Structure formats: structure tokens, C-alpha cells
Amino acid sequence: MSTDRTRPVGRRDRSRPGTVPAQRPRRPLRPHQWFAERLLAVLSGQRPVHWMLGHTIGEAYDQLAELAPDAPLGAGCRRPVVRTCHGSQPATGVVEAFASIAAGEQVRAMAFRLEQGPDLRWRCAAIDLGGERLPAVR
């Protein structure tokens, strides 16, 4: 009989039931990766446009408000995902990024510009989908 009273009789391994093996910690998302996920959630209809209210400046919120009802990155029954997201920093406090969005067989492009404010928070300043400039609200 086992001397360890926490294990069932006959059990020889030392692991506890329900324990999860250690995983590598995930690296925090960079600002452009974080924004790509948030923009996708709004443009696919998963989140309301006001979810981005404090994270946009200038025309970007107006663009989102105009586009969100049509869910241009939604793809019916398949949930879209960010396949890749890359960014470059053309100037201090500015990131220009692009992402490829996949939903089943369909792949779309999304580009956006982030600007860092005096409070050091990043905000989306412009959005482009599929290479066309989105119209601003009149």
C-alpha cells in the first residue's frame, strides 16, 4: 500500500490530477498587434464600434462608425483571425502597420496608422481596407 495518502491506491506517478504542464509565457502583444485584433473585432461585427472610442483619434473613429454596421471583415459562419501583422516606425511616436485577415478561404488586407499621444498611449489615426482609402463621414 502507498505511503502517500494523497494518491489513490495503485497510482504510481507523482503528478496530481488536473495539473497542467508548464507553458512558455506568452510575449505581450506589440501595439500594432493589439490594435489589429481590436480593429478586426469591430470590423467583423464581434464588438460594437464604441469599444474603440478611447483608442482612436481624428477620422479613424468616424471611419469605424461608418464601416462597422456592414461588418466588412466578417465572413458569415467562419470567425476571422489575424494571420500576420507587421509594423514599421517611420517617425518617433508613429507606427504604420498592415495585417492579413483570414476567414476560411477569404484573405483580406487591413492597414492602419497608430500615433502615440503625450500620455504615451497609442491611438489609431487612420484605417485602410484592401488598398482603398475609406471615405470619411461627411
Side-chain angles (χ1 to χ4, degrees):
M1 188 138 115
S2 174
T3 59
D4 186 354
R5 299 205 184 247
T6 61
R7 284 186 288 157
V9 175
R11 186 169 175 172
R12 304 224 186 278
D13 65 332
R14 299 241 179 234
S15 67
R16 294 214 154 292
T19 58
V20 177
Q23 296 179 357
R24 274 191 326 192
R26 294 183 79 188
R27 286 193 295 174
L29 294 177
R30 294 181 175 160
H32 61 278
Q33 294 166 323
W34 186 83
F35 269 92
E37 295 287 347
R38 289 184 77 91
L39 289 169
L40 174 58
V42 171
L43 294 173
S44 65
Q46 298 172 44
R47 292 287 188 161
V49 70
H50 68 264
W51 193 52
M52 291 293 291
L53 190 57
H55 303 289
T56 55
I57 56 174
E59 292 181 7
Y61 186 79
D62 295 337
Q63 290 172 330
L64 282 173
E66 187 173 306
L67 288 169
D70 296 332
L73 296 180
C77 62
R78 302 290 307 251
R79 183 177 178 161
V81 295
V82 176
R83 280 180 40 179
T84 61
C85 183
H86 300 281
S88 64
Q89 197 164 9
T92 303
V94 174
V95 172
E96 292 180 348
F98 64 93
S100 65
I101 309 299
E105 298 290 318
Q106 183 182 9
V107 178
R108 298 280 310 266
M110 175 174 66
F112 53 97
R113 178 183 174 97
L114 303 177
E115 295 179 3
Q116 194 173 34
D119 59 357
L120 302 181
R121 291 181 55 206
W122 291 97
R123 291 177 179 84
C124 184
I127 305 161
D128 287 321
L129 293 179
E132 294 182 30
R133 178 79 180 152
L134 301 176
V137 176
R138 292 167 208 101

